[in-house]
Amino acid sequence: MDQQIWGVFMNVLELKNISKRYGAIQALDSVSLAIAPGEVVGLMGDNGAGKSTLVKVIAGNFAPTSGDILISDKKVAFNKPLDAQKAGIEVVYQDLAICNNLSAASNVFLGREPTRRIGPIKVVDYAFMRSKSAELFARLKSETRPRDLVHKMSGGQRQAVAIARTLLSDAKIVLMDEPTAAISVRQVAEVLNLIRQLSDQGIAVVLISHRMPDVFEVADKVVVLRRGELVADKKASQSSPEEITGLITGAIEHA
Amino acid sequence: MQKKDIGLGILIIVVGAIVYMRNPLFLSPINLGNTANLIGLFGLFAIGQGFVIMTGGIDLSVGSVIALLGVLFVDMVGKFGVPWPLAVAIIIGLGVLIGLAHGILITRFRLQPFVVTLCGLLIYRGIARGYTAESTAGFPFGSSYPQLEWLTIGRSFGVPHSFVAMLIVAAVMWVVLHHTVFGRHLCAVGKNEEAARFSGINTRFVTVMAYVICAVLASIAAIYFAMFTKSVQPSSHGNFYELYAIAAAVLGGCSLRGGEGSVIGIVLGAVLLQELQNLVNLLGIPSSLNFAVMGAVILLGVLADQQFAAYRTRKNTERALGLLQKP
Ligand SMILES: Nc1ncnc2c1ncn2[C@@H]1O[C@H](COP(=O)(O)OP(=O)(O)OP(=O)(O)O)[C@@H](O)[C@H]1O
Ligand SMILES: [Mg+2]
């Protein structure tokens, strides 16, 4: 019995034979994948391999054509992104989910602002927003300051803001679609650190990236998509950048 | 208070000082009172326009709304003997409906704000002219409504009540914009609608509310204007007022790209516009040049602001680069 219960929570997310079609295009072809709590998964593949499609299916942007999604071993069906969010899935988009004209703290709390009452009206509790987001940034070991406007920040700090949002909601799994695509080397190191911090707190991370060194630096597991098919699902320590490159291009058929 | 607001405040004082030196009448109680009245009237609906502009939209129908609702208000109270508090409630209710219509057409049917409110401009003006058959709507001779008049065109200690009303509205809207969840969401929707949606914000609701606020403030302004002019000439009443409102909002730091703006800025924008009107009158500049002066000043103001912002960004980048190169 006990063992069964433990078994139940072994996987924070499980995909079973997920397929997605756009008309004639088979973007995902029977993809199965299991992710454990705190696991960092590097999701790799050529342009058009179906990585973003997979993320969007998991995040509830659209339903798969067929296949099942299980969260903590329970079957779920997401109709909209909010459903996925409630189930503990957060997505960090490169730039999308951040409003440049607001402060870091305002962005962390965007859509779930804390309020306090002054007489009959409810006003935004800026003090709480600032202290709480300062605490989150500290947990992420980021130097981002809550009051700073996002448009004055580096790419790495922006990522910290986006990731702090996920801490706020007690996410179980964070999906990151190319977080390191458009930022400098030093900022990449910052983002990789953030990913490690999330993992240390038991949050699983799916990292989509074209940058082999980044993936091998943080990932526990590397999975490769090729033309919608999952062709590899390996421990990073038992693979190599050369092998993964071969799998991505098709020089190596399967692993 | 933002840096932009302070800059605008200084500009207002400088222009005021110049006008005063050329014509001391500028600071006479009569002139100040009249100008304050106009600032109140125009500021009322400029604030609403600012909210719409902050969502990245625009409301071109404001002037026509002021004409149509002005005609209806005067007729209800003057011709049909509707008690004025009821008439006020009906006019504001119509404002809500107009704002809802704009907002729903823009969010549900995905029409562009410019197109929707341009059609509004034509439709409301057309209805006003058709309903009155082009004749001026006015209160019957000798009629008087002491409480209504006290509220709208009355003065306390020389301060026109239209100005007081504008200050109250500005204070309320300041709290709404800067201290409520709705205000946060308004800024987010205006800057990055997609990000706001992904954050779980009901972006449609926020946008619709901005148009409702704009139309409601226009309807309140319609009552004040109708009481101020005592009669409403359906084809000319409120003409170009939407442009005054847009000008005040832009002068006050609202970006037409959305996401930026402050209530204090908009009020100061309205003050500057009326000050410029005053300048034209007091300095003996032919009043036909009125619009030209206003246009030129707005252009210069926006240009200076933009150049200054670009300069600051350049300075910041240089400093950041300098820091990077040091170690
Ligand atoms: N909304 C859509 N409608 C139709 N086809 C789509 C749509 N989105 C993606 N596709 C197609 O599905 C396939 C997978 O696309 P996807 O965006 O998932 O690739 P990707 O691995 O993220 O690529 P990249 O590395 O370029 O981001 C591609 O052939 C793409 O053209
Ligand atoms: Mg992609």
Side-chain angles (χ1 to χ4, degrees):
Chain A
M1 184 67 188
D2 248 342
Q3 237 189 334
Q4 220 178 347
I5 290 178
W6 278 111
V8 165
F9 290 102
M10 273 307 283
N11 295 320
V12 58
L13 174 77
E14 193 176 350
L15 305 177
K16 281 187 179 162
N17 304 318
I18 293 284
S19 296
K20 175 70 193 175
R21 249 176 195 295
Y22 295 111
I25 299 171
Q26 185 82 39
L28 293 174
D29 191 358
S30 196
V31 172
S32 296
L33 179 65
I35 300 172
E39 195 172 30
V40 179
V41 179
L43 175 55
M44 305 203 69
D46 215 343
N47 291 115
K51 305 181 295 292
S52 297
T53 304
L54 188 61
V55 165
K56 284 174 184 158
V57 167
I58 300 172
N61 283 330
F62 40 62
T65 313
S66 64
D68 295 327
I69 302 174
L70 290 82
I71 302 270
S72 305
D73 269 13
K74 268 202 275 321
K75 220 173 111 171
V76 290
F78 300 143
N79 293 315
K80 50 182 188 298
L82 201 60
D83 295 345
Q85 239 177 37
K86 281 184 188 144
I89 296 174
E90 287 277 335
V91 189
V92 174
Y93 302 90
Q94 172 65 37
D95 247 340
L96 214 56
I98 285 201
C99 289
N100 280 326
N101 53 338
L102 304 180
S103 69
S106 291
N107 265 294
V108 169
F109 282 89
L110 191 60
R112 42 200 163 183
E113 289 79 359
T115 55
R116 66 196 162 91
R117 276 187 175 281
I118 297 185
I121 52 167
K122 278 202 285 187
V123 296
V124 175
D125 193 344
Y126 285 104
F128 176 77
M129 265 167 49
R130 280 196 288 266
S131 64
K132 180 76 186 175
S133 42
E135 187 191 312
L136 294 177
F137 292 136
R139 252 169 84 186
L140 292 170
K141 303 197 166 56
S142 163
E143 280 163 19
T144 311
R145 283 168 307 202
R147 278 170 194 268
D148 285 358
L149 291 181
V150 168
H151 75 87
K152 290 186 181 149
M153 288 183 184
S154 71
Q157 284 181 321
R158 274 171 218 237
Q159 290 291 330
V161 172
I163 292 169
R165 284 180 60 80
T166 67
L167 290 181
L168 193 64
S169 66
D170 276 324
K172 293 186 190 125
I173 176 162
V174 174
L175 308 168
M176 304 176 86
D177 197 347
E178 308 215 29
T180 55
I183 59 182
S184 74
V185 177
R186 200 165 61 160
Q187 291 168 15
V188 167
E190 219 174 298
V191 172
L192 297 183
N193 263 325
L194 292 170
I195 293 173
R196 282 193 204 100
Q197 297 298 333
L198 287 177
S199 165
D200 284 350
Q201 309 189 9
I203 300 168
V205 179
V206 176
L207 167 67
I208 295 188
S209 177
H210 286 288
R211 295 165 51 105
M212 203 65 74
D214 298 354
V215 171
F216 271 88
E217 207 177 318
V218 288
D220 302 308
K221 179 159 105 173
V222 183
V223 298
V224 178
L225 279 176
R226 189 168 69 232
R227 277 187 251 111
E229 257 184 281
L230 194 89
V231 292
D233 183 347
K234 289 194 79 166
K235 278 208 154 50
S237 55
Q238 287 162 18
S239 184
S240 67
E242 292 72 29
E243 186 189 21
I244 298 297
T245 308
L247 284 159
I248 290 172
T249 57
I252 304 174
E253 193 61 35
H254 252 280
Chain B
M1 210 150 155
Q2 301 175 354
K3 267 188 203 139
K4 271 185 182 176
D5 298 345
I6 295 169
L8 196 52
I10 293 172
L11 185 61
I12 289 169
I13 292 169
V14 169
V15 172
I18 293 171
V19 179
Y20 177 69
M21 282 189 292
R22 305 289 302 272
N23 189 341
L25 277 181
F26 177 66
L27 288 186
S28 67
I30 293 181
N31 188 54
L32 284 183
N34 289 341
T35 309
N37 176 45
L38 291 171
I39 290 170
L41 294 172
F42 283 89
L44 268 177
F45 62 89
I47 294 170
Q49 183 74 254
F51 270 65
V52 164
I53 288 177
M54 277 179 245
T55 68
I58 198 150
D59 190 339
L60 297 175
S61 71
V62 172
S64 296
V65 167
I66 287 173
L68 175 59
L69 296 186
V71 164
L72 293 178
F73 183 72
V74 169
D75 258 15
M76 269 193 285
V77 174
K79 205 159 151 192
F80 302 114
V82 178
W84 69 262
L86 179 61
V88 167
I90 292 173
I91 292 297
I92 292 176
L94 286 173
V96 171
L97 289 182
I98 289 172
L100 278 177
H102 292 168
I104 288 169
L105 285 169
I106 289 161
T107 55
R108 288 267 157 194
F109 296 90
R110 298 179 182 283
L111 301 182
Q112 287 174 341
F114 192 100
V115 176
V116 170
T117 58
L118 178 66
C119 295
L121 175 150
L122 298 170
I123 293 168
Y124 310 137
R125 176 72 61 188
I127 295 176
R129 291 170 62 173
Y131 166 71
T132 56
E134 299 277 18
S135 65
T136 303
F139 294 106
F141 186 73
S143 61
S144 107
Y145 315 90
Q147 289 145 318
L148 178 60
E149 280 164 9
W150 184 84
L151 278 173
T152 51
I153 51 178
R155 295 188 180 202
S156 297
F157 310 105
V159 182
H161 289 170
S162 55
F163 187 72
V164 176
M166 187 274 286
L167 288 185
I168 293 170
V169 165
V172 170
M173 297 322 278
W174 181 83
V175 171
V176 167
L177 181 63
H178 299 289
H179 288 279
T180 66
V181 172
F182 172 76
R184 299 286 75 202
H185 291 181
L186 189 81
C187 293
V189 168
K191 192 65 181 186
N192 192 340
E193 206 252 333
E194 210 169 17
R197 191 148 28 84
F198 279 125
S199 303
I201 294 172
N202 187 344
T203 58
R204 280 181 176 173
F205 171 78
V206 171
T207 308
V208 171
M209 279 311 291
Y211 285 90
V212 170
I213 288 171
C214 185
V216 164
L217 290 183
S219 68
I220 294 172
I223 295 168
Y224 273 88
F225 271 107
M227 294 307 293
F228 174 57
T229 57
K230 284 291 189 302
S231 64
V232 178
Q233 210 283 322
S235 63
S236 67
H237 187 80
N239 259 340
F240 285 130
Y241 281 11
E242 56 281 339
L243 300 185
Y244 280 87
I246 294 167
V250 169
L251 268 176
C254 294
S255 161
L256 288 177
R257 287 187 204 94
E260 272 162 53
S262 83
V263 174
I264 296 174
I266 298 165
V267 171
L268 291 177
V271 171
L272 182 61
L273 281 185
Q274 290 311 320
E275 193 179 36
L276 291 174
Q277 290 270 34
N278 215 227
L279 170 149
V280 170
N281 294 338
L282 289 179
L283 299 192
I285 300 169
S287 61
S288 47
L289 282 176
N290 201 332
F291 280 136
V293 170
M294 215 184 291
V297 171
I298 295 171
L299 195 58
L300 286 175
V302 175
L303 195 65
D305 179 61
Q306 201 240 15
Q307 291 300 101
F308 186 61
Y311 168 80
R312 262 199 318 237
T313 323
R314 224 170 28 239
K315 276 278 167 215
N316 280 344
T317 337
E318 273 167 21
R319 211 179 40 225
L321 280 179
L323 281 180
L324 270 183
Q325 279 157 0
K326 237 173 229 158

